[in-house]
Amino acid sequence: MSENTAGDSGTRGDSSLEPDAEAAEGAADDRPTVYDLAPDCTLEDTDVDALYHAEVNGIVDYGVFVDVSDAVSGLVHESNLDDDYAVGDRLVVRLTEVKPNGDVAFDDADLDDYRTETIAHEPTVSRVHGLSPGDEVTVEGEVVQAKQTGGPTIFAVADATGVLSCAAFEEAGVRAYPEVSVGDMVHVSGTVETRENALQLEVDSLKRLSDERAVEARERF
């Protein structure tokens, strides 16, 4: 199956649209949308009956397993396959079911034409105040301190409700996330634990917010 994306409109040398391009611009694009999930997207970023770009990660007697992100994988049963695939092949799938045990089922979607829309992960943001050991959370706030120890890098991240110590480990004594500085607005995700009678987040990921998102976060902060 060929991969298709929305094309650019034709233009003349004066940068104005050709008549047929103008008509196309004004017309609704009724092609089906295939979503391209960012690697950190989870099931919360998906919808049943939606179409997704996928990659085959395994072949079994009863079908193929596919990834639509690093965290979302599932089975296309052999009865729902329209072609033969090998590991690494790309295809378009339709999410048909998320079972109570978390298993995900897909159908092979054989499309002649479609448009692609990229989906970024939008985590549920928790406030610092009220966190408990064992919570798996994402906190949005400002880096107010960054300290390198003989082990992890300790970032202090503050939101409007408090300050949370966040431990990120690259290797002993090596600065984790060197692109992140004091004053940056960030998303930091991980598991809350107790260290020396205080809460500490064991960091899984730490990302600077985009300029627009950072402005919004500072207004809330």
Side-chain angles (χ1 to χ4, degrees):
M1 175 187 308
S2 62
E3 297 249 29
N4 301 288
T5 57
D8 295 329
S9 299
T11 58
R12 295 197 295 263
D14 60 1
S15 298
S16 60
L17 292 174
E18 296 283 5
D20 58 343
E22 289 179 343
E25 282 247 316
D29 188 345
D30 58 359
R31 294 178 298 168
T33 300
V34 179
Y35 297 103
D36 186 13
L37 297 182
D40 58 345
C41 281
T42 68
L43 275 175
E44 293 181 353
D45 302 300
T46 66
D47 292 302
V48 171
D49 205 39
L51 297 163
Y52 297 96
H53 288 285
E55 181 175 333
V56 177
N57 71 21
I59 309 291
V60 291
D61 292 339
Y62 48 87
V64 300
F65 284 98
V66 299
D67 296 329
V68 295
S69 75
D70 288 350
V72 182
S73 302
L75 176 71
V76 183
H77 192 269
E78 60 178 351
S79 61
N80 298 316
L81 286 171
D82 293 326
D83 205 345
D84 293 326
Y85 296 101
V87 171
D89 283 352
R90 301 281 299 176
L91 68 157
V92 174
V93 297
R94 185 183 303 276
L95 196 162
T96 58
E97 183 182 11
V98 179
K99 299 178 181 179
N101 65 358
D103 287 348
V104 181
F106 296 101
D107 282 351
D108 188 359
D110 188 10
L111 303 178
D112 293 328
D113 193 19
Y114 55 82
R115 63 189 184 92
T116 293
E117 183 176 325
T118 300
I119 300 296
H121 178 51
E122 287 294 336
T124 300
V125 175
S126 301
R127 291 177 174 268
V128 170
H129 180 72
L131 295 180
S132 300
D135 289 347
E136 294 185 3
V137 300
T138 296
V139 171
E140 183 178 85
E142 181 180 0
V143 177
V144 294
Q145 185 181 49
K147 178 182 178 182
Q148 184 60 54
T149 71
T153 308
I154 306 297
F155 296 93
V157 177
D159 68 4
T161 68
V163 180
L164 180 64
S165 175
C166 304
F169 187 79
E170 180 69 26
E171 58 181 272
V174 175
R175 175 72 147 81
Y177 302 101
E179 73 279 6
V180 175
S181 303
V182 171
D184 286 343
M185 300 299 293
V186 298
H187 270 162
V188 56
S189 301
T191 303
V192 180
E193 298 185 0
T194 302
R195 290 286 185 273
E196 299 180 355
N197 298 318
L199 294 182
Q200 179 172 285
L201 189 74
E202 298 298 318
V203 175
D204 291 329
S205 69
L206 193 155
K207 298 179 181 178
R208 290 186 298 180
L209 300 182
S210 65
D211 291 343
E212 181 178 351
R213 186 69 173 264
V215 169
E216 295 174 356
R218 285 190 188 283
E219 289 175 352
R220 291 194 300 274
F221 180 73

